[in-house]
Amino acid sequence: MARRNKYVKDYETREQEGGKGKTIIYTGKYYKMDVSEDKRKVVGICYLGFQIAFLTVFGLMGLLNTESSRKVYVVLPYMFLFLPIYYGLLGTVKLFRTKAEMTFAEYDQSVLRIRKSAIGMVSLAVAVVVGEVVYLVSNHVTNMASLEYRFLMGAVFLAVASFLFLQVQSKYKCVEQN
């Protein structure tokens, strides 16, 4: 099955004057973040700060080498958590590289990608928290100084921070330009 470019409907091919070839012209919608250019840079730095915090906490959690990391119901959501963190970071970098007025492809690969990644992070981080709590309860781990509780706090941080990141994103809407 051939893969089709989902942005192809936003472009037209037109003949150049005098029949000298074809030109591809963007005919889709443009999007703009509903803030000034200086504020857009501040928003991008804020987004980057969130992404770096997510990546750092994720990495530190992996270094703990807890007993629960050998349980499939903890390790699978934890490992898949890397994907939304990675795609969110890609979207943030793309947001820095785009101009104020974005094509639909740029909007989709930056703003929408960051939002979808944050939603994925919330759900996977909550799954890690639930799995870790199930492990703690089923194995009667009560020592608050254990690595298990540090891992749990990292997962709780990721869940809460990604939810707050979604709230920050909802303050900065992108509007369709005419």
Side-chain angles (χ1 to χ4, degrees), residues 68-127:
S68 64
S69 67
R70 292 159 186 79
K71 301 297 180 190
V72 72
Y73 56 87
V74 175
V75 77
L76 276 180
Y78 170 74
M79 291 309 296
F80 280 112
L81 190 56
F82 178 73
L83 293 173
I85 292 172
Y86 174 72
Y87 283 115
L89 189 58
L90 283 180
T92 302
V93 169
K94 183 79 169 183
L95 185 64
F96 270 114
R97 295 175 49 205
T98 60
K99 299 176 221 124
E101 196 172 62
M102 299 178 270
T103 64
F104 177 71
E106 292 169 333
Y107 172 68
D108 184 43
Q109 294 171 359
S110 60
V111 176
L112 292 181
R113 179 181 282 175
I114 294 168
R115 179 150 184 83
K116 291 174 189 175
S117 296
I119 291 169
M121 282 183 56
V122 169
S123 58
L124 286 170
V126 167

Side-chain angles (χ1 to χ4, degrees), residues 30-33 37 40 98-103 106 177-178:
Y30 286 95
Y31 297 85
K32 185 175 183 182
M33 199 172 263
E37 187 61 28
R40 191 171 89 87
T98 60
K99 299 176 221 124
E101 196 172 62
M102 299 178 270
T103 64
E106 292 169 333
Q177 298 293 303
N178 294 326

